[in-house]
PDB file of all heavy atoms in Angstrom:
ATOM      1  N   TYR A1536     126.387 107.538 103.077  1.00 92.00           N
ATOM      2  CA  TYR A1536     126.567 106.728 101.874  1.00 92.00           C
ATOM      3  C   TYR A1536     126.338 107.622 100.658  1.00 92.00           C
ATOM      4  O   TYR A1536     125.198 107.942 100.319  1.00 92.00           O
ATOM      5  CB  TYR A1536     125.587 105.560 101.883  1.00 92.00           C
ATOM      6  CG  TYR A1536     125.792 104.546 100.763  1.00 92.00           C
ATOM      7  CD1 TYR A1536     126.561 103.408 100.967  1.00 92.00           C
ATOM      8  CD2 TYR A1536     125.212 104.738  99.511  1.00 92.00           C
ATOM      9  CE1 TYR A1536     126.747 102.479  99.963  1.00 92.00           C
ATOM     10  CE2 TYR A1536     125.395 103.821  98.495  1.00 92.00           C
ATOM     11  CZ  TYR A1536     126.163 102.684  98.723  1.00 92.00           C
ATOM     12  OH  TYR A1536     126.351 101.772  97.718  1.00 92.00           O
ATOM     13  N   GLY A1537     127.433 108.050 100.016  1.00 91.00           N
ATOM     14  CA  GLY A1537     127.287 108.984  98.901  1.00 91.00           C
ATOM     15  C   GLY A1537     126.636 110.262  99.379  1.00 91.00           C
ATOM     16  O   GLY A1537     127.140 110.937 100.275  1.00 91.00           O
ATOM     17  N   GLU A1538     125.477 110.580  98.802  1.00 91.00           N
ATOM     18  CA  GLU A1538     124.720 111.763  99.218  1.00 91.00           C
ATOM     19  C   GLU A1538     123.606 111.419 100.193  1.00 91.00           C
ATOM     20  O   GLU A1538     122.832 112.297 100.588  1.00 91.00           O
ATOM     21  CB  GLU A1538     124.145 112.466  97.987  1.00 91.00           C
ATOM     22  CG  GLU A1538     125.209 113.008  97.025  1.00 91.00           C
ATOM     23  CD  GLU A1538     124.610 113.728  95.838  1.00 91.00           C
ATOM     24  OE1 GLU A1538     123.372 113.726  95.708  1.00 91.00           O
ATOM     25  OE2 GLU A1538     125.376 114.289  95.030  1.00 91.00           O
ATOM     26  N   LEU A1539     123.520 110.146 100.586  1.00 93.00           N
ATOM     27  CA  LEU A1539     122.466 109.709 101.493  1.00 93.00           C
ATOM     28  C   LEU A1539     122.931 109.832 102.937  1.00 93.00           C
ATOM     29  O   LEU A1539     123.729 109.039 103.414  1.00 93.00           O
ATOM     30  CB  LEU A1539     122.070 108.264 101.181  1.00 93.00           C
ATOM     31  CG  LEU A1539     121.468 108.006  99.803  1.00 93.00           C
ATOM     32  CD1 LEU A1539     121.281 106.506  99.579  1.00 93.00           C
ATOM     33  CD2 LEU A1539     120.148 108.737  99.640  1.00 93.00           C
ATOM     34  N   VAL A1540     122.432 110.848 103.613  1.00 95.00           N
ATOM     35  CA  VAL A1540     122.766 111.066 105.022  1.00 95.00           C
ATOM     36  C   VAL A1540     121.700 110.384 105.870  1.00 95.00           C
ATOM     37  O   VAL A1540     120.508 110.693 105.746  1.00 95.00           O
ATOM     38  CB  VAL A1540     122.817 112.568 105.361  1.00 95.00           C
ATOM     39  CG1 VAL A1540     123.167 112.763 106.833  1.00 95.00           C
ATOM     40  CG2 VAL A1540     123.811 113.288 104.458  1.00 95.00           C
ATOM     41  N   PRO A1541     122.074 109.423 106.728  1.00 96.00           N
ATOM     42  CA  PRO A1541     121.059 108.738 107.533  1.00 96.00           C
ATOM     43  C   PRO A1541     120.390 109.684 108.525  1.00 96.00           C
ATOM     44  O   PRO A1541     120.994 110.661 108.983  1.00 96.00           O
ATOM     45  CB  PRO A1541     121.855 107.653 108.245  1.00 96.00           C
ATOM     46  CG  PRO A1541     123.259 108.129 108.257  1.00 96.00           C
ATOM     47  CD  PRO A1541     123.431 108.936 107.003  1.00 96.00           C
ATOM     48  N   ASP A1542     119.149 109.383 108.852  1.00 96.00           N
ATOM     49  CA  ASP A1542     118.429 110.189 109.845  1.00 96.00           C
ATOM     50  C   ASP A1542     119.117 110.117 111.206  1.00 96.00           C
ATOM     51  O   ASP A1542     119.141 111.105 111.950  1.00 96.00           O
ATOM     52  CB  ASP A1542     116.984 109.690 109.985  1.00 96.00           C
ATOM     53  CG  ASP A1542     116.213 109.787 108.681  1.00 96.00           C
ATOM     54  OD1 ASP A1542     116.238 110.866 108.062  1.00 96.00           O
ATOM     55  OD2 ASP A1542     115.606 108.778 108.272  1.00 96.00           O
ATOM     56  N   ILE A1543     119.652 108.940 111.529  1.00 96.00           N
ATOM     57  CA  ILE A1543     120.382 108.749 112.782  1.00 96.00           C
ATOM     58  C   ILE A1543     121.794 108.312 112.424  1.00 96.00           C
ATOM     59  O   ILE A1543     121.989 107.239 111.853  1.00 96.00           O
ATOM     60  CB  ILE A1543     119.712 107.684 113.668  1.00 96.00           C
ATOM     61  CG1 ILE A1543     118.260 108.055 113.974  1.00 96.00           C
ATOM     62  CG2 ILE A1543     120.500 107.497 114.972  1.00 96.00           C
ATOM     63  CD1 ILE A1543     117.475 106.960 114.687  1.00 96.00           C
TER      64      ILE A1543
END
Side-chain angles (χ1 to χ4, degrees):
Y1536 187 94
E1538 297 181 355
L1539 297 173
V1540 180
D1542 300 310
I1543 302 172

